Amino acid sequence: MTDPAAPRPEAKGPLADLVVIEMGTLIAGPFCGQILGDFGAEVIKIEDPRVGDPMRQWGRSLPKGLSPWWPVIGRNKKSVGLDLRKPEGQALAKALIAKADVVIENFRPGAMEKWGLSYEALSADNPGLIMARVSGFGQTGPYSQRAGYGLIGEAMGGLRYVTGEPDRAPARAGISIGDSLAAMHSVMGIMMALHHKEKTGKGQVIDAALYESVLAVMENLVTEYDLTGYVRERSGSILAGIAPSNAYPCANGEMILIGGNGDNVYARLTEAMGRPELKDDPKFVDHASRGANQHELDEIVSAWTSTFVLTDLLKLLEAKGIPASRVYRAPDMLEDPQFAAREAIVSVDHPVFGAVRMQNAFPKLSATPGKVRWPGPALGQNTDEVLAARAGCSPQKLAELRAAGVI
Protein backbone atom coordinates (compact mmCIF):
# COMPACT_ATOMS: atom_id res chain seq x y z
CA MET A 1 0.00 0.00 0.00
CA THR A 2 1.32 3.43 -0.97
CA ASP A 3 2.22 5.68 1.92
CA PRO A 4 -0.01 8.77 1.53
CA ALA A 5 2.65 10.86 3.30
CA ALA A 6 5.39 9.85 0.88
CA PRO A 7 6.41 12.47 -1.67
CA ARG A 8 4.75 11.91 -5.02
CA PRO A 9 6.80 11.96 -8.22
CA GLU A 10 6.59 15.29 -9.98
CA ALA A 11 4.00 15.18 -12.73
CA LYS A 12 5.16 16.20 -16.18
CA GLY A 13 3.30 19.05 -17.78
CA PRO A 14 0.50 18.05 -20.15
CA LEU A 15 2.43 19.49 -23.10
CA ALA A 16 5.74 17.77 -22.28
CA ASP A 17 5.73 15.94 -25.63
CA LEU A 18 5.52 19.14 -27.67
CA VAL A 19 8.39 20.99 -29.31
CA VAL A 20 7.64 24.66 -29.92
CA ILE A 21 9.79 27.09 -31.92
CA GLU A 22 9.13 30.65 -30.78
CA MET A 23 10.18 33.34 -33.23
CA GLY A 24 8.25 36.26 -31.77
CA THR A 25 9.44 39.33 -29.90
CA LEU A 26 7.99 41.70 -27.29
CA ILE A 27 4.78 40.37 -25.68
CA ALA A 28 2.12 38.80 -27.91
CA GLY A 29 4.19 35.94 -29.38
CA PRO A 30 6.43 35.40 -26.33
CA PHE A 31 3.51 35.30 -23.87
CA CYS A 32 1.99 32.56 -26.03
CA GLY A 33 5.28 30.67 -25.76
CA GLN A 34 5.42 31.33 -22.02
CA ILE A 35 2.04 29.70 -21.46
CA LEU A 36 3.00 26.62 -23.49
CA GLY A 37 6.32 26.38 -21.66
CA ASP A 38 4.60 26.70 -18.29
CA PHE A 39 2.73 23.49 -19.07
CA GLY A 40 5.75 21.48 -20.12
CA ALA A 41 6.37 22.17 -23.80
CA GLU A 42 9.99 22.42 -24.91
CA VAL A 43 10.02 26.01 -26.13
CA ILE A 44 13.04 26.95 -28.24
CA LYS A 45 13.19 30.70 -28.65
CA ILE A 46 15.03 32.00 -31.71
CA GLU A 47 16.50 35.46 -31.12
CA ASP A 48 18.74 37.92 -32.90
CA PRO A 49 22.19 36.78 -31.66
CA ARG A 50 23.37 40.39 -31.25
CA VAL A 51 20.60 42.00 -29.19
CA GLY A 52 17.95 39.38 -28.48
CA ASP A 53 14.32 40.06 -27.71
CA PRO A 54 13.76 43.74 -26.75
CA MET A 55 11.98 42.45 -23.63
CA ARG A 56 15.43 41.76 -22.22
CA GLN A 57 15.82 45.52 -21.80
CA TRP A 58 12.24 46.74 -21.33
CA GLY A 59 10.86 47.97 -18.04
CA ARG A 60 10.69 51.02 -15.82
CA SER A 61 13.96 50.08 -14.15
CA LEU A 62 16.88 47.76 -14.84
CA PRO A 63 18.18 46.36 -11.53
CA LYS A 64 21.70 44.99 -12.04
CA GLY A 65 21.38 46.07 -15.66
CA LEU A 66 18.68 43.49 -16.44
CA SER A 67 14.96 43.79 -17.07
CA PRO A 68 12.64 42.38 -14.35
CA TRP A 69 10.26 41.56 -17.22
CA TRP A 70 12.50 39.03 -18.94
CA PRO A 71 12.65 36.42 -16.13
CA VAL A 72 8.85 36.12 -16.43
CA ILE A 73 8.12 36.23 -20.16
CA GLY A 74 11.28 34.27 -21.01
CA ARG A 75 10.75 31.56 -18.40
CA ASN A 76 10.76 27.86 -19.24
CA LYS A 77 12.37 28.58 -22.63
CA LYS A 78 15.67 27.77 -24.32
CA SER A 79 17.40 30.64 -26.11
CA VAL A 80 19.03 30.12 -29.50
CA GLY A 81 20.80 33.05 -31.15
CA LEU A 82 20.11 32.88 -34.88
CA ASP A 83 20.18 35.62 -37.54
CA LEU A 84 17.09 35.02 -39.66
CA ARG A 85 18.22 37.63 -42.18
CA LYS A 86 21.06 35.40 -43.33
CA PRO A 87 20.48 32.36 -45.57
CA GLU A 88 22.37 30.10 -43.15
CA GLY A 89 20.15 31.27 -40.30
CA GLN A 90 17.03 30.64 -42.36
CA ALA A 91 18.23 27.14 -43.22
CA LEU A 92 18.88 26.34 -39.57
CA ALA A 93 15.49 27.70 -38.55
CA LYS A 94 13.86 25.53 -41.19
CA ALA A 95 15.76 22.49 -39.89
CA LEU A 96 14.56 23.15 -36.34
CA ILE A 97 10.96 23.69 -37.45
CA ALA A 98 11.01 20.47 -39.49
CA LYS A 99 11.18 18.54 -36.21
CA ALA A 100 8.80 20.74 -34.22
CA ASP A 101 5.09 20.56 -33.50
CA VAL A 102 4.37 24.29 -33.27
CA VAL A 103 5.99 27.49 -34.50
CA ILE A 104 4.98 30.90 -33.14
CA GLU A 105 5.78 34.15 -34.95
CA ASN A 106 4.60 37.73 -34.57
CA PHE A 107 6.50 39.54 -37.29
CA ARG A 108 4.72 41.84 -39.70
CA PRO A 109 2.87 39.73 -42.31
CA GLY A 110 5.19 38.82 -45.15
CA ALA A 111 8.41 38.64 -43.12
CA MET A 112 8.38 34.85 -42.84
CA GLU A 113 7.70 34.53 -46.56
CA LYS A 114 10.59 36.89 -47.33
CA TRP A 115 12.90 34.61 -45.35
CA GLY A 116 11.70 31.49 -47.17
CA LEU A 117 9.80 30.36 -44.07
CA SER A 118 6.22 30.48 -45.31
CA TYR A 119 3.79 27.90 -43.97
CA GLU A 120 3.74 26.24 -47.39
CA ALA A 121 7.52 25.85 -47.37
CA LEU A 122 7.66 24.66 -43.77
CA SER A 123 4.71 22.26 -43.97
CA ALA A 124 6.18 20.63 -47.08
CA ASP A 125 8.78 19.10 -44.75
CA ASN A 126 6.43 18.86 -41.75
CA PRO A 127 2.77 18.32 -42.79
CA GLY A 128 1.60 18.23 -39.16
CA LEU A 129 3.11 21.63 -38.33
CA ILE A 130 0.92 24.12 -36.50
CA MET A 131 1.87 27.74 -37.10
CA ALA A 132 0.55 30.49 -34.85
CA ARG A 133 0.83 33.87 -36.55
CA VAL A 134 0.16 36.89 -34.34
CA SER A 135 -0.14 40.34 -35.88
CA GLY A 136 -1.92 43.64 -35.42
CA PHE A 137 -4.59 43.17 -38.06
CA GLY A 138 -4.25 39.59 -39.28
CA GLN A 139 -2.57 38.10 -42.33
CA THR A 140 -5.18 39.39 -44.78
CA GLY A 141 -7.23 42.52 -45.41
CA PRO A 142 -6.36 46.11 -46.35
CA TYR A 143 -4.70 46.82 -42.98
CA SER A 144 -2.56 43.68 -42.81
CA GLN A 145 0.69 45.47 -43.68
CA ARG A 146 0.24 48.24 -41.13
CA ALA A 147 2.36 48.29 -37.99
CA GLY A 148 0.19 47.24 -35.07
CA TYR A 149 1.14 47.26 -31.40
CA GLY A 150 -1.18 46.21 -28.58
CA LEU A 151 -2.53 49.72 -27.99
CA ILE A 152 -3.68 49.90 -31.63
CA GLY A 153 -5.50 46.59 -31.24
CA GLU A 154 -7.10 47.88 -28.02
CA ALA A 155 -8.25 51.02 -29.84
CA MET A 156 -9.59 49.25 -32.92
CA GLY A 157 -11.14 46.41 -30.91
CA GLY A 158 -13.18 48.90 -28.87
CA LEU A 159 -11.54 48.59 -25.47
CA ARG A 160 -9.84 52.00 -25.31
CA TYR A 161 -13.02 53.96 -26.03
CA VAL A 162 -14.89 52.52 -23.06
CA THR A 163 -11.96 52.72 -20.59
CA GLY A 164 -11.59 55.69 -18.27
CA GLU A 165 -13.59 58.62 -16.96
CA PRO A 166 -16.34 60.02 -19.21
CA ASP A 167 -15.00 63.59 -19.12
CA ARG A 168 -11.44 62.67 -20.10
CA ALA A 169 -9.52 61.08 -22.96
CA PRO A 170 -9.69 57.28 -23.12
CA ALA A 171 -7.43 55.62 -20.56
CA ARG A 172 -5.37 52.46 -20.81
CA ALA A 173 -5.04 49.52 -18.52
CA GLY A 174 -1.74 49.46 -16.65
CA ILE A 175 -0.67 46.38 -18.61
CA SER A 176 -0.41 45.45 -22.30
CA ILE A 177 -3.79 43.73 -22.30
CA GLY A 178 -4.19 43.68 -26.11
CA ASP A 179 -0.96 41.71 -26.56
CA SER A 180 -1.87 39.32 -23.75
CA LEU A 181 -5.33 38.65 -25.19
CA ALA A 182 -3.79 37.90 -28.60
CA ALA A 183 -1.37 35.47 -26.95
CA MET A 184 -4.14 33.69 -25.07
CA HIS A 185 -6.27 33.39 -28.20
CA SER A 186 -3.21 31.98 -29.97
CA VAL A 187 -2.84 29.34 -27.27
CA MET A 188 -6.51 28.43 -27.64
CA GLY A 189 -6.02 28.14 -31.39
CA ILE A 190 -2.97 25.92 -30.93
CA MET A 191 -4.88 23.60 -28.61
CA MET A 192 -7.75 23.34 -31.09
CA ALA A 193 -5.33 22.71 -33.94
CA LEU A 194 -3.58 19.98 -31.93
CA HIS A 195 -6.93 18.28 -31.41
CA HIS A 196 -7.60 18.41 -35.15
CA LYS A 197 -4.09 17.10 -35.86
CA GLU A 198 -4.65 14.16 -33.50
CA LYS A 199 -7.60 13.08 -35.64
CA THR A 200 -6.23 13.89 -39.10
CA GLY A 201 -2.45 14.18 -38.83
CA LYS A 202 -2.62 17.56 -40.53
CA GLY A 203 -1.42 20.89 -39.22
CA GLN A 204 -2.79 24.35 -39.94
CA VAL A 205 -2.26 28.09 -39.45
CA ILE A 206 -3.67 30.10 -36.54
CA ASP A 207 -4.16 33.71 -37.65
CA ALA A 208 -4.50 35.76 -34.45
CA ALA A 209 -5.07 39.50 -34.91
CA LEU A 210 -4.64 41.81 -31.93
CA TYR A 211 -7.76 43.84 -32.72
CA GLU A 212 -9.90 40.70 -33.10
CA SER A 213 -8.56 39.26 -29.83
CA VAL A 214 -9.72 42.45 -28.09
CA LEU A 215 -13.02 42.47 -29.97
CA ALA A 216 -13.68 38.92 -28.78
CA VAL A 217 -13.97 40.06 -25.14
CA MET A 218 -16.12 43.14 -25.79
CA GLU A 219 -19.30 41.38 -24.66
CA ASN A 220 -22.42 42.76 -26.40
CA LEU A 221 -20.93 46.11 -27.40
CA VAL A 222 -21.54 45.68 -31.15
CA THR A 223 -24.82 43.79 -30.84
CA GLU A 224 -26.33 46.36 -28.46
CA TYR A 225 -25.57 49.14 -30.93
CA ASP A 226 -26.87 47.05 -33.84
CA LEU A 227 -30.20 46.42 -32.10
CA THR A 228 -30.73 49.67 -30.20
CA GLY A 229 -28.36 52.31 -31.56
CA TYR A 230 -26.71 52.72 -28.15
CA VAL A 231 -22.97 53.39 -28.16
CA ARG A 232 -21.36 52.28 -24.92
CA GLU A 233 -19.44 55.14 -23.31
CA ARG A 234 -16.71 55.50 -20.70
CA SER A 235 -18.12 55.20 -17.20
CA GLY A 236 -15.08 55.36 -14.92
CA SER A 237 -15.15 52.98 -11.98
CA ILE A 238 -18.70 51.75 -12.65
CA LEU A 239 -20.59 49.88 -15.31
CA ALA A 240 -23.62 51.96 -16.19
CA GLY A 241 -26.80 50.40 -14.82
CA ILE A 242 -24.99 47.92 -12.53
CA ALA A 243 -25.42 49.05 -8.90
CA PRO A 244 -24.16 49.03 -6.29
CA SER A 245 -20.84 47.95 -7.81
CA ASN A 246 -18.05 50.46 -7.34
CA ALA A 247 -14.99 51.54 -5.42
CA TYR A 248 -16.03 53.16 -2.13
CA PRO A 249 -14.01 55.22 0.37
CA CYS A 250 -12.98 53.96 3.82
CA ALA A 251 -12.16 55.97 6.95
CA ASN A 252 -8.41 55.41 6.65
CA GLY A 253 -8.19 56.81 3.13
CA GLU A 254 -8.17 53.38 1.44
CA MET A 255 -10.76 52.15 -1.04
CA ILE A 256 -12.92 49.06 -1.03
CA LEU A 257 -14.55 47.39 -4.00
CA ILE A 258 -18.06 46.08 -3.36
CA GLY A 259 -20.19 44.08 -5.77
CA GLY A 260 -23.69 44.24 -4.33
CA ASN A 261 -25.78 44.43 -7.48
CA GLY A 262 -27.54 41.05 -7.42
CA ASP A 263 -30.94 41.08 -5.69
CA ASN A 264 -30.02 38.64 -2.92
CA VAL A 265 -26.60 40.18 -2.37
CA TYR A 266 -28.11 43.67 -2.29
CA ALA A 267 -30.58 42.55 0.36
CA ARG A 268 -27.70 41.26 2.51
CA LEU A 269 -25.83 44.53 1.96
CA THR A 270 -28.76 46.59 3.26
CA GLU A 271 -28.83 44.41 6.38
CA ALA A 272 -25.07 44.88 6.88
CA MET A 273 -25.59 48.63 6.54
CA GLY A 274 -28.36 48.62 9.13
CA ARG A 275 -30.64 50.02 6.42
CA PRO A 276 -33.02 47.14 5.59
CA GLU A 277 -35.62 49.64 4.35
CA LEU A 278 -33.42 50.30 1.32
CA LYS A 279 -34.22 46.81 0.05
CA ASP A 280 -37.87 47.74 -0.50
CA ASP A 281 -37.36 51.36 -1.49
CA PRO A 282 -39.02 51.79 -4.94
CA LYS A 283 -35.86 53.50 -6.21
CA PHE A 284 -33.72 50.47 -5.38
CA VAL A 285 -36.12 47.52 -5.25
CA ASP A 286 -34.78 45.67 -8.31
CA HIS A 287 -31.86 45.60 -10.73
CA ALA A 288 -33.38 48.09 -13.18
CA SER A 289 -34.37 50.63 -10.53
CA ARG A 290 -30.96 50.44 -8.84
CA GLY A 291 -29.35 51.06 -12.22
CA ALA A 292 -31.59 54.04 -12.90
CA ASN A 293 -30.69 55.55 -9.51
CA GLN A 294 -27.07 54.41 -9.48
CA HIS A 295 -25.51 57.71 -8.46
CA GLU A 296 -27.81 58.22 -5.49
CA LEU A 297 -27.31 54.65 -4.28
CA ASP A 298 -23.53 54.94 -4.56
CA GLU A 299 -23.63 58.09 -2.42
CA ILE A 300 -25.57 56.22 0.27
CA VAL A 301 -23.12 53.30 0.24
CA SER A 302 -20.13 55.66 0.24
CA ALA A 303 -21.45 57.51 3.31
CA TRP A 304 -21.68 54.17 5.11
CA THR A 305 -18.29 52.71 4.03
CA SER A 306 -16.49 55.91 5.01
CA THR A 307 -17.27 55.21 8.68
CA PHE A 308 -15.15 52.01 8.65
CA VAL A 309 -11.48 51.26 8.35
CA LEU A 310 -10.87 48.88 5.49
CA THR A 311 -9.96 45.74 7.45
CA ASP A 312 -13.03 45.98 9.70
CA LEU A 313 -15.35 46.52 6.74
CA LEU A 314 -13.89 43.56 4.87
CA LYS A 315 -14.57 41.29 7.86
CA LEU A 316 -18.17 42.51 8.14
CA LEU A 317 -18.91 42.04 4.45
CA GLU A 318 -17.29 38.62 4.39
CA ALA A 319 -19.48 37.53 7.30
CA LYS A 320 -22.55 38.68 5.36
CA GLY A 321 -21.52 36.90 2.15
CA ILE A 322 -21.06 40.11 0.15
CA PRO A 323 -18.32 40.21 -2.52
CA ALA A 324 -15.72 42.81 -1.50
CA SER A 325 -12.00 43.39 -1.81
CA ARG A 326 -9.21 45.80 -1.17
CA VAL A 327 -7.56 47.16 -4.31
CA TYR A 328 -4.51 44.90 -4.42
CA ARG A 329 -1.00 46.09 -5.19
CA ALA A 330 2.11 43.91 -5.47
CA PRO A 331 2.91 44.23 -1.70
CA ASP A 332 -0.63 43.11 -0.83
CA MET A 333 -0.31 40.06 -3.05
CA LEU A 334 2.93 39.00 -1.41
CA GLU A 335 1.34 39.20 2.05
CA ASP A 336 -2.07 37.68 1.31
CA PRO A 337 -2.88 34.22 2.73
CA GLN A 338 -4.99 33.22 -0.29
CA PHE A 339 -2.08 33.83 -2.65
CA ALA A 340 0.17 31.85 -0.30
CA ALA A 341 -2.22 28.92 0.16
CA ARG A 342 -2.60 28.41 -3.58
CA GLU A 343 1.03 29.20 -4.43
CA ALA A 344 -0.20 31.92 -6.79
CA ILE A 345 3.24 33.50 -6.51
CA VAL A 346 6.38 31.36 -6.57
CA SER A 347 10.07 32.01 -5.97
CA VAL A 348 12.48 31.08 -8.75
CA ASP A 349 16.29 31.07 -8.58
CA HIS A 350 17.92 33.51 -11.00
CA PRO A 351 21.67 33.50 -11.71
CA VAL A 352 21.96 37.30 -11.28
CA PHE A 353 18.99 38.39 -9.14
CA GLY A 354 18.97 35.39 -6.80
CA ALA A 355 15.48 34.42 -5.63
CA VAL A 356 12.86 36.12 -7.83
CA ARG A 357 9.14 36.06 -7.06
CA MET A 358 6.64 35.93 -9.92
CA GLN A 359 3.16 34.66 -10.76
CA ASN A 360 2.78 30.89 -11.04
CA ALA A 361 1.44 28.94 -14.03
CA PHE A 362 -2.34 29.16 -14.44
CA PRO A 363 -4.88 27.61 -14.54
CA LYS A 364 -4.27 24.84 -12.04
CA LEU A 365 -4.57 21.29 -13.34
CA SER A 366 -5.13 18.52 -10.82
CA ALA A 367 -3.06 15.80 -12.52
CA THR A 368 -0.63 17.68 -14.76
CA PRO A 369 -0.09 21.15 -13.31
CA GLY A 370 2.12 23.75 -14.89
CA LYS A 371 5.34 24.88 -13.27
CA VAL A 372 7.93 27.62 -13.48
CA ARG A 373 11.04 25.50 -14.01
CA TRP A 374 13.55 28.28 -14.69
CA PRO A 375 13.54 32.03 -15.39
CA GLY A 376 14.28 33.61 -18.76
CA PRO A 377 17.66 32.35 -20.02
CA ALA A 378 20.67 34.39 -21.08
CA LEU A 379 20.78 35.34 -24.76
CA GLY A 380 21.94 32.35 -26.79
CA GLN A 381 22.39 30.23 -23.68
CA ASN A 382 21.19 27.07 -25.45
CA THR A 383 22.39 27.74 -28.99
CA ASP A 384 25.09 25.07 -29.18
CA GLU A 385 23.03 22.48 -27.31
CA VAL A 386 19.94 22.87 -29.51
CA LEU A 387 21.69 23.17 -32.86
CA ALA A 388 23.87 20.17 -32.11
CA ALA A 389 20.94 17.98 -31.01
CA ARG A 390 18.27 19.17 -33.46
CA ALA A 391 20.16 20.45 -36.51
CA GLY A 392 23.16 18.10 -36.44
CA CYS A 393 25.74 20.88 -36.11
CA SER A 394 29.23 19.72 -35.19
CA PRO A 395 31.51 21.79 -32.95
CA GLN A 396 33.42 22.88 -36.06
CA LYS A 397 30.20 23.92 -37.80
CA LEU A 398 29.08 25.87 -34.74
CA ALA A 399 32.40 27.68 -34.67
CA GLU A 400 32.04 28.59 -38.36
CA LEU A 401 28.48 29.85 -37.83
CA ARG A 402 29.58 31.93 -34.88
CA ALA A 403 32.48 33.44 -36.81
CA ALA A 404 30.09 34.36 -39.62
CA GLY A 405 27.68 36.04 -37.19
CA VAL A 406 24.86 33.59 -37.95
CA ILE A 407 24.65 32.51 -34.29
Side-chain angles (χ1 to χ4, degrees):
M1 182 176 178
T2 303
D3 179 2
R8 287 181 288 180
E10 184 176 317
K12 290 185 177 181
L15 305 181
D17 59 336
L18 291 184
V19 176
V20 177
I21 306 299
E22 180 194 299
M23 305 174 77
T25 62
L26 300 175
I27 300 173
F31 185 38
C32 175
Q34 177 195 321
I35 296 171
L36 298 176
D38 284 352
F39 288 90
E42 181 182 2
V43 179
I44 299 169
K45 181 176 181 65
I46 295 177
E47 302 182 75
D48 185 319
R50 297 160 298 179
V51 296
D53 192 318
M55 295 305 294
R56 292 179 176 276
Q57 294 300 322
W58 274 32
R60 185 189 58 80
S61 59
L62 298 174
K64 298 186 178 182
L66 300 176
S67 169
W69 212 329
W70 177 249
V72 180
I73 203 164
R75 71 193 195 188
N76 294 332
K77 300 177 185 178
K78 297 178 179 179
S79 173
V80 172
L82 198 58
D83 191 341
L84 295 175
R85 291 166 178 80
K86 295 185 177 181
E88 300 95 327
Q90 297 160 10
L92 286 169
K94 194 170 183 180
L96 293 176
I97 294 169
K99 299 178 181 178
D101 299 287
V102 178
V103 61
I104 303 165
E105 65 94 4
N106 66 337
F107 302 112
R108 192 178 298 192
M112 294 288 283
E113 286 77 5
K114 181 177 67 176
W115 297 331
L117 300 173
S118 67
Y119 183 73
E120 291 71 23
L122 297 173
S123 61
D125 296 329
N126 185 354
L129 180 68
I130 294 165
M131 186 182 213
R133 312 196 71 175
V134 190
S135 61
F137 307 97
Q139 300 297 310
T140 59
Y143 299 173
S144 63
Q145 294 304 306
R146 291 183 180 180
Y149 274 6
L151 80 165
I152 307 303
E154 293 163 27
M156 189 172 172
L159 179 62
R160 284 296 181 100
Y161 185 79
V162 299
T163 304
E165 298 294 334
D167 60 344
R168 302 174 197 174
R172 68 165 295 161
I175 58 172
S176 303
I177 189 68
D179 291 288
S180 298
L181 286 170
M184 297 175 85
H185 278 88
S186 298
V187 172
M188 287 192 291
I190 289 168
M191 293 299 102
M192 296 171 196
L194 285 168
H195 183 67
H196 175 74
K197 176 182 174 180
E198 185 178 348
K199 294 186 293 182
T200 66
K202 296 180 180 179
Q204 59 182 298
V205 175
I206 292 97
D207 183 356
L210 267 71
Y211 87 93
E212 290 168 350
S213 299
V214 174
L215 178 62
V217 301
M218 293 309 295
E219 301 174 350
N220 69 333
L221 181 141
V222 171
T223 307
E224 186 173 30
Y225 169 75
D226 188 47
L227 295 177
T228 71
Y230 174 75
V231 175
R232 192 177 298 188
E233 301 288 342
R234 291 184 292 285
S235 55
S237 62
I238 65 169
L239 282 177
I242 309 297
S245 182
N246 205 343
Y248 301 98
C250 294
N252 55 349
E254 294 187 278
M255 301 293 293
I256 186 170
L257 293 177
I258 300 176
N261 47 294
D263 288 344
N264 293 334
V265 177
Y266 175 66
R268 294 198 296 272
L269 178 61
T270 62
E271 294 171 5
M273 294 171 64
R275 299 285 304 276
E277 73 279 4
L278 292 174
K279 177 171 66 72
D280 301 313
D281 188 315
K283 291 184 291 185
F284 312 128
V285 71
D286 56 25
H287 176 80
S289 59
R290 290 192 293 277
N293 297 283
Q294 187 167 24
H295 182 68
E296 181 180 352
L297 181 55
D298 273 345
E299 286 188 336
I300 293 171
V301 176
S302 292
W304 174 69
T305 61
S306 63
T307 65
F308 290 84
V309 297
L310 175 63
T311 51
D312 291 343
L313 186 53
L314 284 170
K315 291 177 183 177
L316 172 61
L317 294 174
E318 179 184 353
K320 293 291 185 179
I322 299 161
S325 177
R326 68 172 68 243
V327 183
Y328 278 72
R329 304 166 303 140
D332 303 308
M333 297 175 187
L334 293 175
E335 297 170 1
D336 190 275
Q338 179 70 12
F339 281 72
R342 290 179 56 82
E343 297 184 320
I345 294 174
V346 294
S347 181
V348 185
D349 289 332
H350 188 278
V352 177
F353 293 134
V356 176
R357 289 182 287 186
M358 64 180 69
Q359 62 268 40
N360 207 342
F362 308 120
K364 292 184 175 293
L365 277 63
S366 61
T368 54
K371 183 179 181 181
V372 183
R373 291 166 285 154
W374 62 80
L379 176 59
Q381 179 176 323
N382 311 101
T383 300
D384 290 11
E385 163 203 343
V386 170
L387 294 183
R390 295 192 168 276
C393 292
S394 66
Q396 180 181 350
K397 180 64 174 178
L398 290 170
E400 292 172 356
L401 291 168
R402 187 162 282 111
V406 178
I407 62 174

